[in-house]
Amino acid sequence: MPRAQPYDRDAALDAALTLFWRKGYYATSLKDIEAALNMKPGSIYAAFNSKETLFGLTLERYFRKQHADFVSTLKAAASPLQGLADYLRRFARLPLDDPQRSSCMLVKTLLGATEQDAKLGELAGQYIDQMIAEMAAAFEQAKQLGELPGEADAAHLARRYQADLTALGFEASRRISREELAVSAEELAQKVEAMRVRQT
Amino acid sequence: MPRAQPYDRDAALDAALTLFWRKGYYATSLKDIEAALNMKPGSIYAAFNSKETLFGLTLERYFRKQHADFVSTLKAAASPLQGLADYLRRFARLPLDDPQRSSCMLVKTLLGATEQDAKLGELAGQYIDQMIAEMAAAFEQAKQLGELPGEADAAHLARRYQADLTALGFEASRRISREELAVSAEELAQKVEAMRVRQT
DNA sequence: GGGAAAATTGAGTGATCACTCAAATGTGAC
DNA sequence: GTCACATTTGAGTGATCACTCAATTTTCCC
């Protein structure tokens, strides 16, 4: 009776991503995964090596999406600083039931990781560092375009920007209204825009 | 052979607090708890009703400590705004191996809670709301003392302050140096102080 | 000191955990 | 058409999960 239809790896990973994002690594059981991917244990272990490997793949997937999203927002903006501000404002426009409102998966993973099973936490940390590096590159570019003063510390600004983003994501995960979230996002966005050197 | 010595409830709860704070609810097993509290399962269930109840008690304990800490910092300060700024700066002075550096337990619990087992998340959320209410009271007091302009929105300022604190705690949980953390804390503290209305 | 109450003990409960593998079946080369 | 291979299947693995309880020992009142 076996061999129903070959699984769709992309769809499976998307389903696993949604599941892990919602429930986290530890609270997600193989039963949950079987149901979400519509796969039996054997298939799951043939396709991915273990629960941990599968989680790692979904984490990478999540990172790629976030990263691509950030990069494209920056590219679409008139300037680096404008792009950084726009990216913050986008948060406020997310619908209340959007999965993004359940806080950044990287942050959840980092905070949820224990020291004896440190691999996942370290992985999440590395991805966050890559995001920070991308943000630092944007601030650096702003410097070279004369948007920021030459003495600005791009690395520090990037760390603070990422921290603000984390805090905003945390606010979003609470039960606050869209208006309140929009106000917070607007404040942070204006803080970024206020860094701009008045030119001529 | 039973009846070694009666357990010390305060010491047991402190040990449980440290354990749950580090590992989180799901990743902590009863075996871990038995070892940390030096109690056998029967005693644990006689003293506390369940793992969940025990976690609830430790969460309350954590909240009480944080709350008392916040209130005493405010009382020791020359003014409400000064106290709020001081509380932020204290973060930077924490040693690298302090348990406080492993991020706020309330935040970790809230982010780690799943929707089907929502009780713990809601509890953490309520405690966070109480902290925010305490912060709002401080901003309100600052208004009435003329430290803040009359049109200031204490509730909003409190939410933003709490978000900043969360972001700072997240930065602290990463591998950043004490100096970097101090710079971030100083920035946030000065942001609070900058709200002060210049009087005469 | 004697006896009832209180409290700890730790082996053991069924359930669930992540995971395995022999069997069954679809797939593609020839 | 046939056969070798790749892949799915799902019952079943031992381990560990949160939790229970009869037995045992200490405490404390008299």
Side-chain angles (χ1 to χ4, degrees), chain A residues 22-23 26-27 103 107-108 110-111 114-116 125 128-129 156 159-160 162-163 166-167 170-171 174 180 183-184 187-188, chain B residues 22-23 26-27 103 107-108 110-111 114-116 125 128-129 156 159-160 162-163 166-167 170-171 174 180 183-184 187-188:
Chain A
R22 261 194 317 118
K23 304 193 66 172
Y26 292 105
S103 244
V107 171
K108 284 175 94 161
L110 189 64
L111 292 185
T114 61
E115 54 259 32
Q116 80 232 30
I128 290 178
D129 285 339
H156 172 71
R159 265 203 315 280
R160 292 299 315 151
Q162 197 277 332
T166 298
F170 181 72
E171 274 200 273
R174 304 296 316 276
E180 289 170 322
V183 171
S184 293
E187 271 183 31
L188 294 178
Chain B
R22 260 194 317 120
K23 306 192 67 173
Y26 292 104
S103 244
V107 171
K108 284 175 93 162
L110 188 65
L111 292 185
T114 61
E115 55 257 34
Q116 80 232 30
I128 291 177
D129 285 339
H156 173 70
R159 264 203 317 279
R160 291 300 313 154
Q162 198 277 333
T166 298
F170 182 71
E171 273 200 273
R174 303 297 317 278
E180 289 170 322
V183 171
S184 293
E187 271 184 31
L188 295 178

Short mmCIF file of all heavy atoms in Angstrom, two decimals, chain A residues 22-23 26-27 103 107-108 110-111 114-116 125 128-129 156 159-160 162-163 166-167 170-171 174 180 183-184 187-188, chain B residues 22-23 26-27 103 107-108 110-111 114-116 125 128-129 156 159-160 162-163 166-167 170-171 174 180 183-184 187-188:
data_model
loop_
_atom_site.label_atom_id
_atom_site.label_comp_id
_atom_site.label_asym_id
_atom_site.label_seq_id
_atom_site.Cartn_x
_atom_site.Cartn_y
_atom_site.Cartn_z
N ARG A 22 5.87 28.70 15.06
CA ARG A 22 4.80 28.85 16.03
C ARG A 22 5.15 28.22 17.37
O ARG A 22 5.01 28.82 18.42
CB ARG A 22 3.51 28.20 15.50
CG ARG A 22 2.52 29.17 14.90
CD ARG A 22 1.15 28.52 14.71
NE ARG A 22 1.23 27.17 14.17
CZ ARG A 22 0.79 26.10 14.80
NH1 ARG A 22 0.26 26.21 16.01
NH2 ARG A 22 0.88 24.92 14.24
N LYS A 23 5.59 26.98 17.33
CA LYS A 23 5.71 26.19 18.56
C LYS A 23 7.12 26.13 19.14
O LYS A 23 7.29 25.72 20.28
CB LYS A 23 5.21 24.77 18.31
CG LYS A 23 3.79 24.70 17.77
CD LYS A 23 3.22 23.31 17.84
CE LYS A 23 3.03 22.84 19.26
NZ LYS A 23 2.31 21.57 19.37
N TYR A 26 11.47 22.60 20.91
CA TYR A 26 11.20 21.59 21.95
C TYR A 26 9.73 21.22 22.03
O TYR A 26 9.39 20.06 22.26
CB TYR A 26 11.69 22.08 23.31
CG TYR A 26 13.19 22.17 23.40
CD1 TYR A 26 13.84 23.40 23.35
CD2 TYR A 26 13.96 21.02 23.50
CE1 TYR A 26 15.22 23.48 23.42
CE2 TYR A 26 15.34 21.09 23.56
CZ TYR A 26 15.96 22.32 23.52
OH TYR A 26 17.32 22.39 23.59
N ALA A 27 8.85 22.18 21.87
CA ALA A 27 7.43 21.92 22.03
C ALA A 27 6.81 21.25 20.81
O ALA A 27 5.67 20.83 20.84
CB ALA A 27 6.69 23.21 22.36
N SER A 103 6.72 37.13 16.53
CA SER A 103 8.12 37.38 16.87
C SER A 103 9.10 36.63 15.96
O SER A 103 8.80 35.57 15.44
CB SER A 103 8.41 37.00 18.32
OG SER A 103 8.78 38.13 19.05
N VAL A 107 15.14 35.01 16.97
CA VAL A 107 15.18 35.46 18.37
C VAL A 107 14.59 34.39 19.27
O VAL A 107 15.16 34.05 20.31
CB VAL A 107 14.41 36.79 18.53
CG1 VAL A 107 14.26 37.15 19.99
CG2 VAL A 107 15.11 37.90 17.76
N LYS A 108 13.44 33.85 18.88
CA LYS A 108 12.80 32.81 19.68
C LYS A 108 13.73 31.62 19.86
O LYS A 108 13.85 31.06 20.95
CB LYS A 108 11.50 32.34 19.01
CG LYS A 108 10.35 33.31 19.17
CD LYS A 108 9.13 32.86 18.38
CE LYS A 108 8.17 32.06 19.23
NZ LYS A 108 6.81 31.99 18.64
N LEU A 110 17.04 31.56 19.58
CA LEU A 110 18.20 31.93 20.41
C LEU A 110 17.85 31.93 21.89
O LEU A 110 18.58 31.39 22.72
CB LEU A 110 18.71 33.31 19.99
CG LEU A 110 20.03 33.74 20.61
CD1 LEU A 110 21.15 32.83 20.16
CD2 LEU A 110 20.34 35.18 20.27
N LEU A 111 16.70 32.51 22.21
CA LEU A 111 16.30 32.58 23.62
C LEU A 111 15.86 31.22 24.14
O LEU A 111 15.99 30.93 25.33
CB LEU A 111 15.17 33.60 23.80
CG LEU A 111 15.55 35.05 23.58
CD1 LEU A 111 14.37 35.96 23.92
CD2 LEU A 111 16.76 35.43 24.42
N THR A 114 19.00 25.84 24.93
CA THR A 114 19.69 25.57 26.19
C THR A 114 21.18 25.38 25.90
O THR A 114 21.57 25.15 24.77
CB THR A 114 19.13 24.31 26.85
OG1 THR A 114 19.34 23.20 25.98
CG2 THR A 114 17.65 24.47 27.11
N GLU A 115 21.98 25.47 26.95
CA GLU A 115 23.43 25.41 26.72
C GLU A 115 23.91 24.00 26.37
O GLU A 115 24.89 23.84 25.66
CB GLU A 115 24.20 25.94 27.93
CG GLU A 115 23.84 25.27 29.22
CD GLU A 115 22.89 26.13 30.03
OE1 GLU A 115 22.08 26.87 29.43
OE2 GLU A 115 22.95 26.09 31.25
N GLN A 116 23.19 22.96 26.86
CA GLN A 116 23.66 21.61 26.54
C GLN A 116 23.31 21.23 25.09
O GLN A 116 23.93 20.39 24.50
CB GLN A 116 23.06 20.58 27.49
CG GLN A 116 21.64 20.17 27.17
CD GLN A 116 20.75 20.32 28.38
OE1 GLN A 116 20.99 21.16 29.22
NE2 GLN A 116 19.75 19.48 28.48
N GLY A 125 22.15 32.44 16.30
CA GLY A 125 23.02 33.58 16.57
C GLY A 125 23.82 33.98 15.34
O GLY A 125 23.98 35.17 15.05
N ILE A 128 21.57 35.81 12.94
CA ILE A 128 21.32 37.17 13.43
C ILE A 128 22.54 38.05 13.15
O ILE A 128 22.40 39.20 12.72
CB ILE A 128 20.99 37.15 14.94
CG1 ILE A 128 19.62 36.51 15.16
CG2 ILE A 128 21.02 38.57 15.52
CD1 ILE A 128 19.21 36.39 16.61
N ASP A 129 23.72 37.48 13.36
CA ASP A 129 24.93 38.25 13.08
C ASP A 129 25.02 38.61 11.60
O ASP A 129 25.49 39.70 11.25
CB ASP A 129 26.17 37.44 13.50
CG ASP A 129 26.35 37.42 15.02
OD1 ASP A 129 25.79 38.32 15.68
OD2 ASP A 129 27.02 36.53 15.54
N HIS A 156 28.07 49.73 15.44
CA HIS A 156 27.25 50.01 16.62
C HIS A 156 25.82 50.36 16.22
O HIS A 156 24.86 49.87 16.83
CB HIS A 156 27.88 51.14 17.44
CG HIS A 156 27.01 51.60 18.56
ND1 HIS A 156 26.78 50.83 19.67
CD2 HIS A 156 26.29 52.74 18.73
CE1 HIS A 156 25.97 51.48 20.49
NE2 HIS A 156 25.66 52.65 19.95
N ARG A 159 23.93 47.24 15.41
CA ARG A 159 23.52 46.47 16.59
C ARG A 159 22.31 47.10 17.25
O ARG A 159 21.37 46.42 17.67
CB ARG A 159 24.67 46.38 17.59
CG ARG A 159 25.51 45.11 17.48
CD ARG A 159 26.23 44.80 18.78
NE ARG A 159 26.84 45.97 19.37
CZ ARG A 159 28.01 46.49 18.99
NH1 ARG A 159 28.70 45.90 18.03
NH2 ARG A 159 28.49 47.56 19.58
N ARG A 160 22.33 48.44 17.35
CA ARG A 160 21.19 49.12 17.97
C ARG A 160 19.94 49.00 17.09
O ARG A 160 18.84 48.82 17.59
CB ARG A 160 21.51 50.61 18.17
CG ARG A 160 22.58 50.91 19.20
CD ARG A 160 22.19 50.43 20.59
NE ARG A 160 20.82 50.78 20.93
CZ ARG A 160 20.05 50.08 21.76
NH1 ARG A 160 20.50 48.98 22.32
NH2 ARG A 160 18.82 50.46 22.01
N GLN A 162 19.21 46.55 15.10
CA GLN A 162 18.69 45.19 15.23
C GLN A 162 17.97 45.03 16.57
O GLN A 162 16.92 44.38 16.65
CB GLN A 162 19.85 44.20 15.11
CG GLN A 162 19.42 42.76 14.82
CD GLN A 162 19.02 42.01 16.07
OE1 GLN A 162 19.50 42.31 17.15
NE2 GLN A 162 18.11 41.06 15.92
N ALA A 163 18.51 45.62 17.61
CA ALA A 163 17.88 45.55 18.93
C ALA A 163 16.50 46.22 18.89
O ALA A 163 15.53 45.70 19.46
CB ALA A 163 18.76 46.20 19.98
N THR A 166 14.12 43.93 17.18
CA THR A 166 13.73 42.85 18.09
C THR A 166 12.66 43.32 19.06
O THR A 166 11.66 42.64 19.29
CB THR A 166 14.96 42.37 18.89
OG1 THR A 166 15.93 41.86 18.00
CG2 THR A 166 14.56 41.28 19.88
N ALA A 167 12.88 44.51 19.62
CA ALA A 167 11.92 45.05 20.57
C ALA A 167 10.57 45.30 19.90
O ALA A 167 9.51 45.05 20.47
CB ALA A 167 12.45 46.35 21.17
N PHE A 170 8.84 42.12 19.48
CA PHE A 170 8.29 41.67 20.75
C PHE A 170 6.98 42.41 21.05
O PHE A 170 5.99 41.81 21.46
CB PHE A 170 9.30 41.91 21.87
CG PHE A 170 8.81 41.46 23.21
CD1 PHE A 170 8.70 40.11 23.50
CD2 PHE A 170 8.46 42.37 24.17
CE1 PHE A 170 8.24 39.68 24.73
CE2 PHE A 170 8.00 41.95 25.42
CZ PHE A 170 7.89 40.60 25.69
N GLU A 171 6.98 43.72 20.81
CA GLU A 171 5.75 44.49 20.99
C GLU A 171 4.64 43.93 20.11
O GLU A 171 3.49 43.83 20.53
CB GLU A 171 5.99 45.96 20.62
CG GLU A 171 6.53 46.81 21.76
CD GLU A 171 6.29 48.28 21.50
OE1 GLU A 171 7.14 48.92 20.84
OE2 GLU A 171 5.26 48.82 21.94
N ARG A 174 2.79 40.95 21.39
CA ARG A 174 1.82 41.20 22.45
C ARG A 174 0.47 41.55 21.83
O ARG A 174 0.34 41.65 20.62
CB ARG A 174 2.29 42.35 23.36
CG ARG A 174 3.66 42.17 23.97
CD ARG A 174 3.75 41.00 24.91
NE ARG A 174 2.62 40.87 25.82
CZ ARG A 174 2.48 41.51 26.98
NH1 ARG A 174 3.42 42.34 27.35
NH2 ARG A 174 1.43 41.33 27.74
N GLU A 180 -1.13 51.36 17.95
CA GLU A 180 -0.04 51.50 18.91
C GLU A 180 1.27 51.02 18.30
O GLU A 180 2.32 51.65 18.46
CB GLU A 180 -0.35 50.69 20.18
CG GLU A 180 -1.45 51.30 21.03
CD GLU A 180 -1.90 50.36 22.14
OE1 GLU A 180 -1.96 49.13 21.92
OE2 GLU A 180 -2.18 50.85 23.23
N VAL A 183 2.63 53.54 15.87
CA VAL A 183 3.27 54.66 16.54
C VAL A 183 4.71 54.31 16.93
O VAL A 183 5.64 55.07 16.70
CB VAL A 183 2.47 55.08 17.80
CG1 VAL A 183 3.24 56.11 18.62
CG2 VAL A 183 1.10 55.65 17.41
N SER A 184 4.87 53.13 17.49
CA SER A 184 6.22 52.68 17.88
C SER A 184 7.13 52.58 16.66
O SER A 184 8.28 53.02 16.69
CB SER A 184 6.14 51.33 18.59
OG SER A 184 5.48 51.46 19.82
N GLU A 187 8.13 55.99 15.43
CA GLU A 187 9.14 56.60 16.29
C GLU A 187 10.54 56.11 15.93
O GLU A 187 11.48 56.88 15.79
CB GLU A 187 8.87 56.25 17.76
CG GLU A 187 7.97 57.22 18.49
CD GLU A 187 7.82 56.83 19.95
OE1 GLU A 187 8.78 56.27 20.51
OE2 GLU A 187 6.75 57.08 20.50
N LEU A 188 10.65 54.79 15.80
CA LEU A 188 11.96 54.20 15.49
C LEU A 188 12.42 54.63 14.10
O LEU A 188 13.61 54.91 13.88
CB LEU A 188 11.88 52.68 15.59
CG LEU A 188 11.61 52.13 16.99
CD1 LEU A 188 11.49 50.61 16.97
CD2 LEU A 188 12.71 52.55 17.96
N ARG B 22 17.21 29.28 33.11
CA ARG B 22 18.24 28.87 32.17
C ARG B 22 17.66 28.05 31.02
O ARG B 22 17.93 28.31 29.85
CB ARG B 22 19.30 28.04 32.89
CG ARG B 22 20.55 28.79 33.27
CD ARG B 22 21.68 27.83 33.66
NE ARG B 22 21.23 26.74 34.51
CZ ARG B 22 21.33 25.47 34.19
NH1 ARG B 22 21.84 25.13 33.04
NH2 ARG B 22 20.94 24.52 35.03
N LYS B 23 16.88 27.04 31.35
CA LYS B 23 16.47 26.07 30.35
C LYS B 23 15.09 26.26 29.77
O LYS B 23 14.75 25.66 28.75
CB LYS B 23 16.55 24.66 30.95
CG LYS B 23 17.91 24.32 31.55
CD LYS B 23 18.03 22.84 31.87
CE LYS B 23 18.05 22.01 30.62
NZ LYS B 23 18.32 20.60 30.87
N TYR B 26 9.82 23.85 28.77
CA TYR B 26 9.74 22.59 28.03
C TYR B 26 11.03 21.78 28.09
O TYR B 26 10.99 20.56 28.18
CB TYR B 26 9.36 22.85 26.56
CG TYR B 26 7.96 23.35 26.40
CD1 TYR B 26 7.70 24.69 26.13
CD2 TYR B 26 6.87 22.49 26.55
CE1 TYR B 26 6.41 25.17 26.00
CE2 TYR B 26 5.57 22.96 26.42
CZ TYR B 26 5.36 24.29 26.14
OH TYR B 26 4.07 24.75 26.02
N ALA B 27 12.15 22.45 28.04
CA ALA B 27 13.44 21.75 27.99
C ALA B 27 13.88 21.26 29.37
O ALA B 27 14.86 20.54 29.48
CB ALA B 27 14.50 22.65 27.38
N SER B 103 18.83 36.97 29.53
CA SER B 103 17.55 37.53 29.09
C SER B 103 16.43 37.37 30.13
O SER B 103 16.44 36.44 30.92
CB SER B 103 17.11 36.90 27.77
OG SER B 103 17.07 37.87 26.77
N VAL B 107 10.14 37.39 29.34
CA VAL B 107 10.18 37.48 27.88
C VAL B 107 10.40 36.08 27.29
O VAL B 107 9.71 35.68 26.34
CB VAL B 107 11.30 38.43 27.42
CG1 VAL B 107 11.48 38.35 25.91
CG2 VAL B 107 10.99 39.85 27.85
N LYS B 108 11.34 35.35 27.85
CA LYS B 108 11.62 34.01 27.36
C LYS B 108 10.37 33.12 27.45
O LYS B 108 10.07 32.36 26.55
CB LYS B 108 12.76 33.37 28.18
CG LYS B 108 14.13 33.89 27.82
CD LYS B 108 15.20 33.30 28.73
CE LYS B 108 15.85 32.06 28.17
NZ LYS B 108 17.15 31.75 28.82
N LEU B 110 7.21 34.11 27.60
CA LEU B 110 6.17 34.58 26.68
C LEU B 110 6.46 34.11 25.25
O LEU B 110 5.58 33.62 24.56
CB LEU B 110 6.11 36.11 26.72
CG LEU B 110 4.95 36.74 25.96
CD1 LEU B 110 3.63 36.35 26.59
CD2 LEU B 110 5.08 38.24 25.92
N LEU B 111 7.71 34.22 24.83
CA LEU B 111 8.06 33.82 23.47
C LEU B 111 8.06 32.31 23.31
O LEU B 111 7.80 31.79 22.24
CB LEU B 111 9.42 34.38 23.08
CG LEU B 111 9.50 35.89 22.92
CD1 LEU B 111 10.88 36.31 22.42
CD2 LEU B 111 8.44 36.38 21.95
N THR B 114 3.45 28.07 23.79
CA THR B 114 2.66 27.72 22.61
C THR B 114 1.20 28.06 22.88
O THR B 114 0.79 28.25 24.02
CB THR B 114 2.79 26.23 22.31
OG1 THR B 114 2.29 25.49 23.43
CG2 THR B 114 4.24 25.84 22.09
N GLU B 115 0.42 28.10 21.82
CA GLU B 115 -0.97 28.54 21.99
C GLU B 115 -1.83 27.48 22.66
O GLU B 115 -2.78 27.80 23.36
CB GLU B 115 -1.58 28.96 20.65
CG GLU B 115 -1.49 27.91 19.58
CD GLU B 115 -0.38 28.25 18.60
OE1 GLU B 115 0.65 28.83 19.01
OE2 GLU B 115 -0.55 27.94 17.43
N GLN B 116 -1.49 26.21 22.49
CA GLN B 116 -2.32 25.18 23.11
C GLN B 116 -2.06 25.08 24.61
O GLN B 116 -2.90 24.63 25.36
CB GLN B 116 -2.11 23.82 22.45
CG GLN B 116 -0.86 23.09 22.93
CD GLN B 116 -0.02 22.66 21.75
OE1 GLN B 116 -0.03 23.32 20.73
NE2 GLN B 116 0.68 21.56 21.89
N GLY B 125 2.72 37.25 30.41
CA GLY B 125 2.22 38.49 29.83
C GLY B 125 1.63 39.41 30.89
O GLY B 125 1.84 40.63 30.86
N ILE B 128 4.41 41.01 32.83
CA ILE B 128 5.02 42.08 32.02
C ILE B 128 4.14 43.32 32.03
O ILE B 128 4.62 44.45 32.17
CB ILE B 128 5.28 41.59 30.58
CG1 ILE B 128 6.39 40.53 30.58
CG2 ILE B 128 5.65 42.75 29.67
CD1 ILE B 128 6.67 39.94 29.23
N ASP B 129 2.83 43.11 31.92
CA ASP B 129 1.91 44.24 31.96
C ASP B 129 2.00 44.97 33.30
O ASP B 129 1.88 46.20 33.35
CB ASP B 129 0.48 43.75 31.71
CG ASP B 129 0.24 43.42 30.24
OD1 ASP B 129 1.01 43.92 29.40
OD2 ASP B 129 -0.68 42.65 29.94
N HIS B 156 2.21 55.20 26.73
CA HIS B 156 3.01 54.92 25.55
C HIS B 156 4.50 54.93 25.88
O HIS B 156 5.25 54.05 25.44
CB HIS B 156 2.71 55.94 24.45
CG HIS B 156 3.63 55.83 23.27
ND1 HIS B 156 3.57 54.77 22.40
CD2 HIS B 156 4.66 56.62 22.85
CE1 HIS B 156 4.51 54.93 21.48
NE2 HIS B 156 5.18 56.03 21.72
N ARG B 159 5.43 51.71 27.49
CA ARG B 159 5.55 50.58 26.56
C ARG B 159 6.88 50.63 25.81
O ARG B 159 7.55 49.63 25.62
CB ARG B 159 4.38 50.58 25.58
CG ARG B 159 3.23 49.67 25.98
CD ARG B 159 2.38 49.26 24.78
NE ARG B 159 2.13 50.38 23.88
CZ ARG B 159 1.20 51.29 24.07
NH1 ARG B 159 0.41 51.22 25.13
NH2 ARG B 159 1.04 52.27 23.23
N ARG B 160 7.23 51.85 25.40
CA ARG B 160 8.49 52.00 24.67
C ARG B 160 9.69 51.73 25.58
O ARG B 160 10.68 51.12 25.18
CB ARG B 160 8.61 53.42 24.08
CG ARG B 160 7.65 53.73 22.94
CD ARG B 160 7.84 52.79 21.76
NE ARG B 160 9.25 52.64 21.41
CZ ARG B 160 9.75 51.57 20.81
NH1 ARG B 160 8.99 50.55 20.51
NH2 ARG B 160 11.03 51.50 20.52
N GLN B 162 9.75 49.74 28.16
CA GLN B 162 9.83 48.30 28.36
C GLN B 162 10.42 47.62 27.12
O GLN B 162 11.22 46.68 27.24
CB GLN B 162 8.43 47.75 28.67
CG GLN B 162 8.44 46.37 29.34
CD GLN B 162 8.57 45.25 28.32
OE1 GLN B 162 8.19 45.39 27.18
NE2 GLN B 162 9.16 44.13 28.75
N ALA B 163 10.04 48.09 25.96
CA ALA B 163 10.59 47.52 24.73
C ALA B 163 12.09 47.74 24.66
O ALA B 163 12.86 46.85 24.28
CB ALA B 163 9.90 48.13 23.51
N THR B 166 13.74 45.32 26.94
CA THR B 166 13.76 43.99 26.33
C THR B 166 14.89 43.88 25.31
O THR B 166 15.63 42.89 25.29
CB THR B 166 12.42 43.71 25.62
OG1 THR B 166 11.36 43.75 26.58
CG2 THR B 166 12.44 42.34 24.94
N ALA B 167 15.02 44.92 24.49
CA ALA B 167 16.06 44.92 23.47
C ALA B 167 17.44 44.90 24.11
O ALA B 167 18.35 44.20 23.67
CB ALA B 167 15.91 46.14 22.57
N PHE B 170 18.15 41.52 25.36
CA PHE B 170 18.50 40.64 24.26
C PHE B 170 19.95 40.87 23.83
O PHE B 170 20.70 39.91 23.61
CB PHE B 170 17.56 40.87 23.08
CG PHE B 170 17.83 39.98 21.92
CD1 PHE B 170 17.53 38.62 21.98
CD2 PHE B 170 18.42 40.47 20.77
CE1 PHE B 170 17.81 37.79 20.91
CE2 PHE B 170 18.69 39.65 19.70
CZ PHE B 170 18.38 38.30 19.77
N GLU B 171 20.35 42.12 23.76
CA GLU B 171 21.75 42.42 23.44
C GLU B 171 22.68 41.79 24.47
O GLU B 171 23.74 41.25 24.14
CB GLU B 171 21.97 43.95 23.41
CG GLU B 171 21.68 44.60 22.09
CD GLU B 171 22.36 45.96 21.99
OE1 GLU B 171 21.74 46.96 22.43
OE2 GLU B 171 23.48 46.02 21.48
N ARG B 174 23.50 38.15 24.05
CA ARG B 174 24.45 37.82 22.99
C ARG B 174 25.86 37.90 23.56
O ARG B 174 26.08 38.24 24.71
CB ARG B 174 24.31 38.80 21.79
CG ARG B 174 22.94 38.86 21.19
CD ARG B 174 22.47 37.55 20.58
NE ARG B 174 23.48 36.86 19.82
CZ ARG B 174 23.78 37.14 18.56
NH1 ARG B 174 23.15 38.09 17.92
NH2 ARG B 174 24.71 36.44 17.94
N GLU B 180 30.48 47.44 24.94
CA GLU B 180 29.44 47.65 23.94
C GLU B 180 28.07 47.76 24.59
O GLU B 180 27.25 48.60 24.23
CB GLU B 180 29.45 46.48 22.93
CG GLU B 180 30.65 46.49 22.01
CD GLU B 180 30.76 45.21 21.20
OE1 GLU B 180 30.48 44.12 21.73
OE2 GLU B 180 31.14 45.30 20.02
N VAL B 183 27.62 51.07 26.26
CA VAL B 183 27.31 52.15 25.30
C VAL B 183 25.83 52.15 24.97
O VAL B 183 25.17 53.19 24.97
CB VAL B 183 28.16 51.98 24.02
CG1 VAL B 183 27.68 52.95 22.94
CG2 VAL B 183 29.63 52.20 24.31
N SER B 184 25.28 50.97 24.72
CA SER B 184 23.85 50.87 24.41
C SER B 184 23.00 51.35 25.57
O SER B 184 22.04 52.10 25.40
CB SER B 184 23.50 49.41 24.07
OG SER B 184 24.12 49.02 22.87
N GLU B 187 23.11 55.08 25.88
CA GLU B 187 22.28 55.73 24.86
C GLU B 187 20.82 55.78 25.28
O GLU B 187 20.16 56.82 25.20
CB GLU B 187 22.38 54.95 23.54
CG GLU B 187 23.50 55.40 22.63
CD GLU B 187 23.45 54.63 21.32
OE1 GLU B 187 22.34 54.25 20.89
OE2 GLU B 187 24.52 54.39 20.75
N LEU B 188 20.33 54.63 25.74
CA LEU B 188 18.92 54.55 26.13
C LEU B 188 18.66 55.42 27.36
O LEU B 188 17.62 56.09 27.45
CB LEU B 188 18.54 53.09 26.42
CG LEU B 188 18.60 52.15 25.20
CD1 LEU B 188 18.26 50.73 25.60
CD2 LEU B 188 17.63 52.63 24.11
#
